[in-house]
Amino acid sequence: MEKKTIIVPHDFTPVAENALNHAINTAKRTGAEILLLHVVAKEKAVGEAEEKLKAVVEQHKQEIKITSFIRVGNIFDDIGDFASENHAELIFMGTHGQTGWQHITGSHALKVITHSTVPFIVVQEKPIKETGYDDIVVPLDLNKETKQKLAYVANIATYFKSRVHVITPDESDEFLRHQVKANIQFAVRFFHERGIDVTTKVVPTSGFDKEVVKHAVSLDADLIAIMNLNRNNMLGVITANHEQYILTNDAQIPTLIVNPVAGKYGSSVLFS
């Protein structure tokens, strides 16, 4: 098997260091290699950045092998391009919330993610537990693409022996309610077939993003898994604003966010 690769963009802030700690915990379990990336705007900034990256690598060299890289460009293009060039499985990135002067805010994070084909785990300041991701909350709406994240969640849940908690919006329309029920059954079967414990919960459609975070808090969850459906849609209740709300949630629960893969049926081969 090819070696797994994890990318960590690092801007020398505490939250970027926290993202690296999440990545190290994951890499130890999966046998992945970590590539540390810093992006500078101009060539003259490379020297100083190299010294700082060297210090970060030195700090963690007893735990795991980390290779550092510098790109001249901008975070919106270069993080995704770098991950694609290195066939990365996952990108761990820190975000500083929706406001502030720091490099990667909530809205910036969404822009970076949208450019990439690789899934992200976006973290804030909350450190990863020693046991990793014990409980993962998985919102499912009626977008067919929403099922694509189940495979990523299953992989993570297998490595961390996680419990998965599926949450869906209640629908008043009988046809849509039937679709929601079918999605729940699909998800439960999908996880059970892989030996993963799963619970389900139906919550009001109104304020679904807030219901998701509230449910995650009640479970003391370690990860929320969403799709990046950064466009208007008729049947989805997770929109770009909702995505940003979940990415920068006040409980600081990390978010796995997956870009949909376009195919003949608008979804991955696995679920089409």
Side-chain angles (χ1 to χ4, degrees), residues 44-181:
K44 64 181 182 182
V46 169
E48 183 186 350
E50 279 178 342
E51 290 304 310
K52 287 182 176 180
L53 275 183
K54 212 176 285 182
V56 173
V57 172
E58 186 71 20
Q59 184 183 342
H60 295 282
K61 71 177 184 181
Q62 301 301 327
E63 297 177 86
I64 200 163
K65 185 189 174 189
I66 302 173
T67 310
S68 61
F69 296 85
I70 293 178
R71 295 282 285 256
V72 179
N74 67 80
I75 59 170
F76 304 116
D77 297 327
D78 286 282
I79 291 174
D81 289 349
F82 181 79
S84 181
E85 290 162 18
N86 288 280
H87 308 290
E89 260 83 21
L90 203 51
I91 301 170
F92 283 82
M93 185 170 71
T95 183
H96 306 273
Q98 294 193 47
T99 59
W101 56 267
Q102 296 97 331
H103 295 190
I104 306 178
T105 62
S107 56
H108 283 173
L110 206 49
K111 248 179 106 175
V112 172
I113 291 160
T114 301
H115 181 81
S116 174
T117 56
V118 179
F120 280 70
I121 289 183
V122 177
V123 310
Q124 299 185 62
E125 295 173 8
K126 188 176 183 180
I128 188 169
K129 296 191 305 200
E130 195 174 319
T131 51
Y133 306 117
D134 292 332
D135 291 276
I136 305 173
V137 170
V138 182
L140 280 184
D141 63 20
L142 293 176
N143 265 298
K144 54 180 175 283
E145 292 95 339
T146 198
K147 291 179 182 175
Q148 290 183 28
K149 67 189 168 204
L150 299 188
Y152 293 103
V153 171
N155 284 341
I156 293 170
T158 300
Y159 282 117
F160 286 98
K161 298 180 171 57
S162 316
R163 295 171 291 271
V164 171
H165 308 277
V166 173
I167 181 169
T168 57
D170 195 9
E171 295 287 350
S172 54
D173 180 88
E174 189 177 340
F175 174 76
L176 296 181
R177 189 185 288 267
H178 175 76
Q179 292 298 106
V180 166
K181 189 176 178 183

Side-chain angles (χ1 to χ4, degrees), residues 252-268:
Q252 299 197 355
I253 299 167
T255 305
L256 168 69
I257 180 163
V258 178
N259 285 307
V261 178
K264 184 177 178 183
Y265 301 99
S267 61
S268 71

